[in-house]
Amino acid sequence: MSMSTSPAEDPSAAVEEPLTEEEYRDRLRELPPSAKLVAKVLETESPLSQGQLADESLLPDRTVRYALNRLDDVGLVGSRYSFRDARKQVYFLKH
């Protein structure tokens, strides 16, 4: 007996609707300046690793990590493994 489920049966497989520009800006408005800067960098260049984000934003790695966590908390950033180096995650905006 197969244990697979179709996307309709699996709520985690649901596809998220893209955010409108207004929804995106409302979520971003409440975030700290570091998260806004990281989002701005990701708007122009994406996907980027945490190290690349630190280089581009001139923020310390720890601040970039905090900013990415805040962006993730409000559903504005996604991540995947890098095609070039599977040991690294790269980040992108979800709007």
Side-chain angles (χ1 to χ4, degrees):
M1 185 158 117
S2 174
M3 297 299 283
S4 66
T5 59
S6 72
E9 296 170 0
D10 184 2
S12 66
V15 176
E16 291 182 30
E17 299 254 344
L19 297 173
T20 66
E21 188 65 26
E22 184 178 347
E23 290 170 326
Y24 172 77
R25 292 174 79 69
D26 285 345
R27 290 184 189 186
L28 195 60
R29 187 173 285 117
E30 303 302 319
L31 297 177
S34 61
K36 291 174 183 169
L37 177 57
V38 167
K40 192 67 171 169
V41 170
L42 287 172
E43 279 182 7
T44 59
E45 296 183 49
S46 181
L48 293 174
S49 69
Q50 183 179 321
Q52 291 169 315
L53 280 166
D55 290 345
E56 292 295 321
S57 67
L58 304 177
L59 293 171
D61 285 339
R62 185 175 178 166
T63 304
V64 170
R65 201 166 37 250
Y66 171 77
L68 287 168
N69 285 333
R70 294 299 308 270
L71 289 164
D72 185 47
D73 289 346
V74 296
L76 293 181
V77 73
S79 66
R80 63 168 171 75
Y81 287 103
S82 171
F83 295 133
R84 292 185 186 172
D85 184 347
R87 297 170 295 175
K88 292 184 179 180
Q89 292 256 340
V90 290
Y91 301 88
F92 54 89
L93 291 179
K94 288 172 132 182
H95 89 282

